[in-house]
Amino acid sequence: MGKVTGFLEIDRQDQKYQPASDRIRHFREFTLRLSDQDVGRQAARCMDCGIPYCHGPTGCPVHNQIPDWNDLVYNGDWQEASRNLHSTNNFPEFTGRVCPAPCEEACTLNLEDVPVAIKSVEQSIADKAWEQGWIKPEVASVKTGKKVAVVGSGPAGLAAAQQLARAGHDVHVYEREVKAGGLLRYGIPDFKMEKHFIDRRVAQIEAEGATFHYGANIGVNLPMAELIAGHDAVLLTGGSEAPRDPQLPGSELAGVHYAMPFLVQQNRRVGREEVHEEPIIATGRRVVVVGGGDTASDCVGTSFRQGALAVTQLDIRPMPPLKEEKLTVWPYWPTKFRTSSSQAEGAEREFACATLRVVGKNGKVTGVECARVDEKRRPIEGTEFIIRADLVFLAIGFAHPLHEGMLAELGADLDRRGNLKADTESYQTSVDKVFAAGDMRRGQSLVVWAIREGRQAAHAIDKKLMGATTLPW
């Protein structure tokens, strides 16, 4: 695949960023795209490695045929590369921007720390496909007469809706918010992915026959029983929204918030939507973010763009090694020191740091009391210290989907973690005609996993309704 000697002749080159001093002044994307020539050179580095772990289960959840479209780009056939890419991934412009790229960690060249720039090539293919007008609605030639409801329009719901519409079903997407996208729109900041990419995909899915219903909060303003009665199948893709509760003393103080309301508010402002809640603004404040994941990093970047005085990120995990032990970890996702673009904008990072309590005065937060931890993550007596804070964000993940409203009315079985119980063959819940996919079923995860589950659930539903299916698995 690619040029036989490309990996020997061509150095790895990836997209660069605008300087931090420039990019923190706006909420737009700040990656500097590679030229077509440079993308072709990077694709040429894809070697004939024998077993391409990049697109197996260890590398790419949607099984992108990465060596194939790298070879097509190297040979200048971008349109065929787009067709190949879209055969496994409904939204490569999403994953090309926000996926952490486990495929690159699984790349054989990563054994030498110079993996193929797969993520950049994927984004370039998707962007060129839109620019050249190659992406068009794929309208089913025959309608089945079956009506399917999809609840939630995040990546899992959008992928499922598109696949089911292309199979000829009458698809209705029910979304609680005023716009589609779920966490893609309201959780991920625009500086990581601008939202017009979602809008044009929604327009494509609508042109393929799906109908979107906004402001439809199932179990609140639209009964679940009515939805089930009115459709031949119902797919629940509402995400995992209940935040993990750290039971942190002092979290009731003014200025302490879960991460998601902060991110959602800013995304609404950028999208020119109304914000009805009390504004959460980091301007001129000292911010402490509790948590070490992507959501915490998004809080860091958003705080800087709002004009925070200082941002400190707390992680209870020890500082990971700068480099993994390749022969014991590869091709799996390694634990190693990583710096996100947001963290690189000036965040202070504290590792092996337990958050003991939030301290305050007159009902308002003034700081966070911390302590160093041992190898079992237990606080070490005598190491306590206080970090000054005017604003604290709790970004330690999500426990399970919201149980109030829709799921309470549905009464379906839950797994031990509180997610909807369904297997990865039928995606069927314990309630007849009701299916589940994405974070609502598997727990919080990556956008690429949501797309995979949406596609597989569509396959399972089409097979259940029609007895057979031509939708890819």
Side-chain angles (χ1 to χ4, degrees):
M1 295 298 168
K3 186 179 182 181
V4 175
T5 57
F7 71 99
L8 296 172
E9 301 170 7
I10 304 167
D11 291 334
R12 173 181 163 90
Q13 181 185 2
D14 210 345
Q15 294 178 341
K16 292 183 170 57
Y17 298 153
Q18 291 176 357
S21 58
D22 293 337
R23 67 182 188 247
I24 64 170
R25 300 176 186 274
H26 61 79
F27 281 88
R28 301 182 303 277
E29 291 183 11
F30 52 79
T31 52
L32 306 176
R33 287 174 55 182
L34 299 176
S35 68
D36 287 357
Q37 181 181 6
D38 284 338
V39 174
R41 286 171 56 80
Q42 291 307 300
R45 297 184 66 246
C46 187
M47 60 193 291
D48 188 3
C49 58
I51 301 176
Y53 287 99
C54 60
H55 73 80
T58 58
C60 182
V62 293
H63 299 289
N64 279 338
Q65 298 167 130
I66 294 164
D68 294 348
W69 43 254
N70 272 327
D71 187 56
L72 289 164
V73 169
Y74 165 60
N75 286 291
D77 195 347
W78 288 76
Q79 188 167 6
E80 184 58 31
S82 172
R83 278 194 287 268
N84 187 302
L85 178 54
H86 280 88
S87 71
T88 57
N89 186 352
N90 295 67
F91 316 120
E93 69 273 29
F94 298 173
T95 51
R97 285 172 165 81
V98 303
C99 185
C103 52
E104 294 190 14
E105 296 291 350
C107 177
T108 301
L109 287 176
N110 190 41
L111 286 168
E112 296 295 327
D113 292 315
V114 285
V116 175
I118 299 168
K119 183 176 175 178
S120 293
V121 177
E122 178 182 31
Q123 180 185 332
S124 297
I125 295 170
D127 289 348
K128 180 173 279 293
W130 280 104
E131 292 163 4
Q132 297 297 318
W134 299 332
I135 299 176
K136 301 182 185 298
E138 299 177 26
V139 182
S141 57
V142 177
K143 299 297 183 182
T144 65
K146 301 292 186 180
K147 189 176 180 181
V148 181
V150 177
V151 180
S153 65
L158 290 177
Q162 184 161 60
Q163 296 296 95
L164 289 165
R166 290 174 176 177
H169 302 302
D170 180 17
V171 179
H172 292 260
V173 182
Y174 295 86
E175 170 55 50
R176 179 187 62 197
E177 302 291 345
V178 298
K179 293 180 181 178
L183 211 63
L184 276 172
R185 182 181 297 275
Y186 294 106
I188 294 175
D190 278 60
F191 57 79
K192 289 175 70 173
M193 189 183 82
E194 295 176 7
K195 303 311 182 281
H196 58 85
F197 296 116
I198 302 172
D199 296 334
R200 68 185 182 187
R201 280 298 183 184
V202 170
Q204 180 195 22
I205 296 169
E206 287 177 327
E208 291 170 342
T211 304
F212 284 74
H213 305 269
Y214 298 107
N217 195 349
I218 310 303
V220 178
N221 60 16
L222 182 60
M224 187 70 197
E226 183 180 319
L227 199 70
I228 296 173
H231 297 81
D232 297 291
V234 175
L235 174 62
L236 305 182
T237 60
S240 179
E241 293 186 286
R244 289 198 181 102
D245 182 3
Q247 299 192 353
L248 185 65
S251 58
E252 74 284 353
L253 291 168
V256 182
H257 306 273
Y258 282 113
M260 202 49 62
F262 173 60
L263 297 175
V264 169
Q265 279 193 17
Q266 184 56 44
N267 284 334
R268 290 194 195 280
R269 292 186 193 100
V270 175
R272 299 187 178 182
E273 295 183 34
E274 292 185 17
V275 176
H276 299 289
E277 301 81 15
E278 183 72 24
I280 306 172
I281 302 291
T283 308
R285 296 186 173 187
R286 297 180 183 275
V287 177
V288 171
V289 181
V290 181
D294 290 338
T295 301
S297 180
D298 292 344
C299 287
V300 170
T302 300
S303 296
F304 279 130
R305 282 159 181 76
Q306 288 187 357
L309 285 179
V311 181
T312 303
Q313 185 176 353
L314 310 180
D315 195 332
I316 197 170
R317 298 170 297 184
M319 182 176 173
L322 296 178
K323 185 178 178 180
E324 73 274 27
E325 178 57 52
K326 298 289 185 183
L327 295 182
T328 59
V329 178
W330 181 87
Y332 298 98
W333 183 260
T335 298
K336 65 180 179 181
F337 186 78
R338 306 172 194 270
T339 301
S340 72
S341 60
S342 292
Q343 291 163 341
E345 289 162 1
E348 293 289 333
R349 301 171 69 182
E350 295 280 355
F351 291 97
C353 178
T355 306
L356 302 180
R357 65 189 181 103
V358 180
V359 296
K361 186 177 181 180
N362 299 325
K364 295 182 180 180
V365 60
T366 58
V368 178
E369 184 178 351
C370 309
R372 299 300 172 193
V373 297
D374 60 20
E375 65 278 2
K376 294 185 178 180
R377 299 185 182 181
R378 296 174 302 196
I380 300 172
E381 189 175 350
T383 65
E384 298 85 0
F385 61 100
I386 291 179
I387 299 175
R388 183 178 169 187
D390 309 303
L391 201 56
V392 177
F393 295 123
L394 307 177
I396 57 172
F398 303 89
H400 49 66
L402 296 177
H403 292 164
E404 303 78 12
M406 180 175 70
L407 296 190
E409 182 186 343
L410 178 65
D413 291 345
L414 305 177
D415 66 17
R416 60 184 178 82
R417 296 181 299 163
N419 301 313
L420 267 175
K421 191 174 183 179
D423 62 47
T424 54
E425 292 292 328
S426 69
Y427 284 89
Q428 173 88 46
T429 70
S430 61
V431 176
D432 187 43
K433 299 201 308 184
V434 180
F435 302 76
D439 288 5
M440 184 164 266
R441 190 205 69 82
R442 67 178 288 116
Q444 67 170 61
S445 190
L446 304 176
V447 168
V448 68
W449 273 106
I451 294 172
R452 169 178 171 158
E453 294 220 347
R455 287 171 62 89
Q456 290 187 334
H459 172 103
I461 291 170
D462 188 42
K463 188 174 182 179
K464 178 82 171 180
L465 294 178
M466 307 304 296
T469 181
T470 58
L471 289 177
W473 178 243

